[in-house]
Structures are given as structure tokens and as C-alpha cells.
Amino acid sequence: MNIFYKSVFMILVWVSSSVFAAEDLKSYYEKQKAEIAPAFVAPSLGSEVRLKLSGGQVRSGILMKLSASSISVMTDSGMVDYKRSVLHESSRADFFVEDFAHVKAIEKTQEYKKQLNMTEAAKQAANIHEGSLYVSAKIDKSENKEVE
């Protein structure tokens, strides 16, 4: 398969995949999120925790309180409350069930999307027939050559 056909093929796969998969991916994500949520286990109160803030800074301490919107950690400098919104996504997934389910469902949905794309590409490849294409290319300013 020459480069032109490969390029056209990839564009066709991308367009068809994005059209048919959008709703399928959304429902797959929602299903995965619902199935994953029950597997969440929050850190125990009194346990040593490390967390990453949205700006990239890492903090550690003893988990003293965990609510739906914040955590409280005892550090060397005292009790520090962190709102859920100031935590990095990876740390939110460690402390909050919604974020845990979201991160894991996104990972599974991306794997599923990759599989859909590979399946669709294989279907498309099975329907492409080899052929010849003649292109006129200008090699330098004074010559035209026929290329097969």
C-alpha cells in the first residue's frame, strides 16, 4: 500500500471512528465508572499519606480527617486542611471515590477506544484494494517526471 493510500486510509479510519464511537465511548466510560467505584478504598485515618498539590508540590503527614470535599493532614507544622480542588488529579484519586472512578474509567475507556480503532482499521483495510496511482511531480524547476 503506497503512502497516499495509507494517508487516506488513516483519515477515513479517524473520521469514521470519531463519528461512530463518541456515544459508545461515553456510555462505556459511564459503565466503567459505575463498576469501578465500589473497588475504592480510602486511606485509613491515622495513616501516613503523601499528596501532590495541583501546582506539583508534594506534602506528607498523617491523615486526620477525610470528607467529601477536603482532607486534613497533621504535618510537622500543624494541622493543614486541603480542599479537594487544590489537590492534583492523581492525589484526588487516592482520597475521593469519584476521582478514583474517573481516573480508572478514563484509562479503561482509552484502552477500549484504541481497540475500537484497531478493529475499525482492520475492517477498513480488508475493504481497500490495491491500485496504481500516477502522479506528476516536479523534480526541479526545469523537469517534469511521471512517477508510478
Side-chain angles (χ1 to χ4, degrees):
M1 186 182 287
N2 70 31
I3 191 75
F4 175 77
Y5 283 125
K6 286 181 182 177
S7 298
V8 170
F9 170 70
M10 295 307 291
I11 290 169
L12 289 173
V13 169
W14 179 76
V15 169
S16 63
S17 295
S18 62
V19 170
F20 84 86
E23 283 302 313
D24 185 40
L25 290 176
K26 183 178 178 183
S27 63
Y28 183 85
Y29 163 81
E30 293 298 335
K31 180 181 177 207
Q32 291 303 310
K33 192 174 170 184
E35 289 177 2
I36 291 167
F40 176 73
V41 178
S44 301
L45 295 180
S47 63
E48 182 78 22
V49 295
R50 288 178 50 89
L51 54 98
K52 185 176 180 181
L53 302 179
S54 57
Q57 307 89 339
V58 176
R59 303 287 189 257
S60 62
I62 298 173
L63 182 63
M64 301 303 288
K65 181 181 174 189
L66 181 59
S67 73
S69 61
S70 67
I71 63 172
S72 298
V73 178
M74 179 63 76
T75 66
D76 292 338
S77 58
M79 185 73 75
V80 181
D81 294 322
Y82 296 100
K83 290 190 185 279
R84 182 177 176 182
S85 60
V86 303
L87 297 176
H88 187 272
E89 183 178 89
S90 60
S91 285
R92 288 194 315 263
D94 291 336
F95 297 101
F96 303 101
V97 64
E98 297 85 10
D99 296 295
F100 172 80
H102 168 74
V103 168
K104 298 297 183 186
I106 287 290
E107 289 171 3
K108 287 190 171 250
T109 303
Q110 288 171 338
E111 290 171 17
Y112 178 66
K113 181 180 177 184
K114 183 177 176 181
Q115 184 61 44
L116 283 177
N117 287 338
M118 289 181 356
T119 301
E120 186 62 23
K123 286 180 189 176
Q124 293 290 334
N127 292 329
I128 290 181
H129 303 287
E130 280 295 325
S132 295
L133 175 67
Y134 290 93
V135 177
S136 179
K138 196 168 195 175
I139 303 302
D140 57 35
K141 292 184 180 183
S142 62
E143 287 185 52
N144 284 331
K145 294 195 177 186
E146 294 287 324
V147 178
E148 183 177 339

